Amino acid sequence: MGGLAHYLEREGLATVNIALVYKHAAIAQPSPRALWVPFWYGRPLGAPNEPLLQRRVLDATMALLDEPGDRLLKEFSEDAPAAVGALEWRPPFDLPRVEEESDRKALADALREEVAIVAARHEEAKAGRNSSFVGLSGLSLMGVADLLVDFLHAREETITSTRRPGLALKFGAQELIDAYAECVIAAGGADSPFGFRRWYWHETTAGLTVRHVADIAKVSPDHRARMIARHGSLLPREWNFVPGP
């Protein structure tokens, strides 16, 4: 749609665009006027059954037509409301907890303990579903945990000896999310994707570890790992987005 906007502009028709990825809109400038919204992909107007919020998004988008100049990229200041109960939701099984301030050794030990529990549950979940999204990295879940620990301790000799460690890191981090999600689905599911997302990134050792590893990978000797970490392929948008000119 952003590319189409340029053709319409050439014919004298003013256009506006809603952008879901700030960096793309800032760098590629797909439309002369764009409103960046901090919403989930596929939800440019915020959330279903929220007509007042959706109207405010549309009003803010159309208001760009009244502003002078072109190459406008404005930020919508509201977040979409989370699903009811998203802040309170927990999965129907327990995992060991680790403190945010834990040192790297404690974090590594807790990660291996947690992933061992999830791996066992995931085998049961996979058998019940007869399918899984896990497997693209070529590593077992414990293998992914070991790779994260190597990054956590900045063991360059181990990381660089891994075939394409950057891609293994990217795929492995995603497979952990998939494995945890498949365990949750097998246990009855979450009340909403918001609940699962908050729980995984804020309450699991895996989420905490990947957050630490993302910072470490930004200075990794492996250029793919650096690129993946620096371009926001490991973390949710709230940890990657930095507004700028």
Side-chain angles (χ1 to χ4, degrees):
M1 295 302 295
L4 180 60
H6 286 290
Y7 290 100
L8 295 175
E9 293 276 344
R10 290 176 187 174
E11 298 300 320
L13 297 174
T15 63
V16 290
N17 185 43
I18 295 177
L20 287 166
V21 183
Y22 187 92
K23 289 182 179 178
H24 292 178
I27 296 172
Q29 297 181 337
S31 175
R33 303 165 200 85
L35 180 75
W36 176 80
V37 292
F39 305 145
W40 279 48
Y41 296 151
R43 292 186 172 181
L45 298 183
N49 303 315
E50 293 287 342
L52 296 179
L53 172 65
Q54 295 167 3
R55 177 59 184 263
R56 290 194 295 273
V57 174
L58 290 173
D59 286 345
T61 304
M62 299 306 293
L64 296 178
L65 293 172
D66 296 327
E67 297 203 21
D70 57 9
R71 301 294 180 238
L72 296 174
L73 179 57
K74 296 288 185 175
E75 302 159 24
F76 189 70
S77 59
E78 297 182 52
D79 288 323
V84 175
L87 297 179
E88 292 77 29
W89 179 86
R90 302 292 186 282
F93 53 83
D94 293 326
L95 293 176
R97 296 291 297 274
V98 64
E99 297 298 326
E100 289 263 352
E101 299 78 14
S102 298
D103 61 36
R104 293 185 180 184
K105 182 181 185 305
L107 186 58
D109 292 342
L111 175 68
R112 288 192 170 109
E113 180 184 2
E114 181 180 280
V115 171
I117 295 172
V118 171
R121 296 190 68 94
H122 185 253
E123 285 300 315
E124 299 175 2
K126 187 167 58 174
R129 289 166 53 91
N130 198 31
S131 64
S132 175
F133 286 107
V134 177
L136 186 60
S137 71
L139 300 172
S140 66
L141 292 178
M142 288 304 299
V144 174
D146 289 339
L147 181 62
L148 289 174
V149 168
D150 286 338
F151 272 96
L152 197 63
H153 293 303
R155 294 173 178 159
E156 295 186 4
E157 68 282 358
T158 307
I159 294 170
T160 54
S161 67
T162 302
R163 184 173 182 269
R164 296 189 172 184
L167 292 179
L169 176 62
K170 177 181 179 180
F171 295 148
Q174 181 59 52
E175 286 178 357
L176 281 184
I177 298 175
D178 293 338
Y180 281 59
E182 289 172 11
C183 288
V184 167
I185 291 170
D191 61 343
S192 77
F194 298 98
F196 173 82
R197 177 188 174 101
R198 184 211 53 77
W199 168 75
Y200 180 83
W201 288 109
H202 291 276
E203 294 193 21
T204 71
T205 305
L208 177 59
T209 302
V210 174
R211 285 158 55 191
H212 284 292
V213 167
D215 289 334
I216 295 168
K218 290 176 182 178
V219 293
S220 168
D222 180 73
H223 74 280
R224 288 190 182 90
R226 291 197 306 274
M227 179 181 68
I228 288 167
R230 292 175 180 177
H231 288 273
S233 298
L234 295 178
L235 301 178
R237 294 174 69 190
E238 57 262 32
W239 276 288
N240 289 320
F241 170 63
V242 179

